[in-house]
Amino acid sequence: MVLFSLVATHADIDLETVAQLSNGSSGIAASALTESPAVAGAVVLATCNRYEIYGEARDPDDVEAARAAVVARISEASGLPEPLVSRSFSTRTGPEVTQHLFAVSAGLDSAVVGEREIAGQVRRALITAQHDGTASAGLVRLFQAASKTAKEVGAQTALGSRGLSIVSVALDLATDLSENPDWSTKKVVLFGTGAYAGATMALLRERGCTDISVFSSSGRAEGFVASRGGTALDADSLRDAVAAADVMIGCSGSDSRVEADELAQVRANSPQPLIAIDLALTHDFDPAVGELDGVELLTLESVRLAAPQEQSESLVQASGIVKGAAKAFEQERQARSVDSAIVALRRHTMNVLDAEMEKVRARHGCTAAAEEVEFALRRMVKQLLHVPTVRARELAANGQQDDYVAALEALYGITVEQPAEAAPAAECPVDHKGRETA
């Protein structure tokens, strides 16, 4: 099995292209597995500034076919031509996949370096894939190790200790733009009810904001405010709430968005200025909103440019933890890859021993002498297998496991069968379908 990933982020291409690519992202993993036998597993990580697909191919020769299958599915879902989709993604394989995901989960590859929201998004990406039945055993181990590494970075370094996140930087910008920086006096309309909206609600509360109204195009506002507070809006009450708002924040990523002409009509008689914060990758607000009189538009690009630089010492320390964890994961993964070869060698050797012992028993019966011979032979076989087993682990750690397998086939005629993929994890009882994403 070979891990690979397709990565499109704010660091390489513009956010508008990332948003276009991610249209229909929820069905990509399942469709890729259905359409291509080369894809053994897939997990999709789609956030406010990145779109990444992690896959597992059945064989190194299958990676290109697996990549092509994923690209074709993304093209079909997004409506973008396949050549454009292919150019938009950088492809990683092997150890590069591990290193990148661990860095992403730890917040080292974020617009706001060290932000903690991404770790939760990585965990939810795995949960969704397990729920949908697309997460292979190798991908489950990869994502679980990435989450563990993120926790270690958070516990052992000062990176992100100020609680910085994309949302917090956006609210800081909004505070700087406001005539009155006191959030307790502001009326806020929040679009979305997903995990990102929940994090935004919590930060608004921390800043003293109490007048928060929530709108969901999918009708989940009532359930959202029931556990978090605030006022649920529907299509009829949304207009008046936006007209009276000081701030509106978009983090739903739904198909419907607030158009500039519509907002201009709604705000025609509003005396106070409006700050619109669009944190959705696919835009909750028409970009032309920022050209309206009395409206300031903050976007993910605004946040990226305003994000503070973390201390270099913390970055070095965090990078060291990520590098060490990625190396350890790869060594463990390579060692696991020779397990089948070790088992095959032991089985072959024990079969020879059993055959010889049958001859001894046939000649001498089940006597004490025969038992003593068997005990001595099994002890000898165990000693003989020790060095080949140790060498297998050493070769795997150096990435030479294929040499070991080839040697077994050449010397003993042993064909090493790869183990069957582990059964999918039990279905998650939480309904993740149809949720809004950031």
Side-chain angles (χ1 to χ4, degrees), residues 97-152:
V97 176
T98 303
Q99 177 73 31
H100 177 72
L101 180 59
F102 284 20
V104 167
S105 187
L108 299 185
D109 193 57
S110 297
V112 179
V113 176
E115 58 105 353
R116 309 306 301 162
E117 290 164 355
I118 186 62
Q121 291 164 333
V122 169
R123 288 194 301 272
R124 289 192 291 275
L126 175 59
I127 291 171
T128 299
Q130 289 177 303
H131 177 270
D132 294 341
T134 67
S136 62
L139 288 171
V140 170
R141 287 191 289 268
L142 174 69
F143 272 71
Q144 288 177 340
S147 293
K148 179 181 178 183
T149 301
K151 290 180 181 178
E152 291 175 353

Side-chain angles (χ1 to χ4, degrees), residues 104-322:
V104 167
S105 187
L108 299 185
D109 193 57
S110 297
V112 179
V113 176
E115 58 105 353
R116 309 306 301 162
E117 290 164 355
I118 186 62
Q121 291 164 333
V122 169
R123 288 194 301 272
R124 289 192 291 275
L126 175 59
I127 291 171
T128 299
Q130 289 177 303
H131 177 270
D132 294 341
T134 67
S136 62
L139 288 171
V140 170
R141 287 191 289 268
L142 174 69
F143 272 71
Q144 288 177 340
S147 293
K148 179 181 178 183
T149 301
K151 290 180 181 178
E152 291 175 353
V153 169
Q156 299 178 30
T157 75
L159 197 65
S161 60
R162 287 180 288 166
L164 289 177
S165 67
I166 289 174
V167 177
S168 66
V169 173
L171 295 183
D172 286 342
L173 286 173
T175 301
D176 293 339
L177 290 172
S178 299
E179 295 178 0
N180 180 5
D182 185 0
W183 281 89
S184 67
T185 65
K186 298 185 186 303
K187 295 180 179 180
V188 176
V189 175
L190 177 64
F191 291 77
T193 55
Y196 212 17
T200 302
M201 173 74 87
L203 285 175
L204 286 170
R205 294 291 193 198
E206 287 181 10
R207 293 175 184 238
C209 185
T210 57
D211 193 340
I212 306 172
S213 300
V214 180
F215 175 75
S216 169
S217 59
S218 57
R220 290 195 287 267
E222 288 283 357
F224 183 85
V225 301
S227 59
R228 296 176 176 83
T231 303
L233 300 173
D234 56 23
D236 295 330
S237 57
L238 176 62
R239 186 182 182 91
D240 290 341
V242 170
D246 301 292
V247 179
M248 65 179 190
I249 305 174
C251 46
S252 73
S254 63
D255 294 334
S256 58
R257 69 177 185 178
V258 177
E259 299 295 338
D261 292 344
E262 180 184 10
L263 183 62
Q265 294 176 6
V266 171
R267 299 282 301 183
N269 298 317
S270 300
Q272 78 279 21
L274 174 69
I275 298 176
I277 305 175
D278 195 348
L279 300 180
L281 182 58
T282 52
H283 296 310
D284 279 342
F285 310 142
D286 178 359
V289 159
E291 300 173 9
L292 299 178
D293 291 338
V295 179
E296 289 283 354
L297 176 63
L298 299 177
T299 64
L300 289 168
E301 183 64 16
S302 307
V303 173
R304 186 184 69 81
L305 294 174
Q309 294 295 320
E310 290 289 343
Q311 294 181 354
S312 59
E313 182 179 345
S314 295
L315 277 174
V316 170
Q317 186 180 4
S319 297
I321 292 172
V322 166

Side-chain angles (χ1 to χ4, degrees), residues 25 60 71 77 165 216 225 351 415 423:
S25 61
V71 167
S165 67
S216 169
V225 301
N351 286 342
T415 300

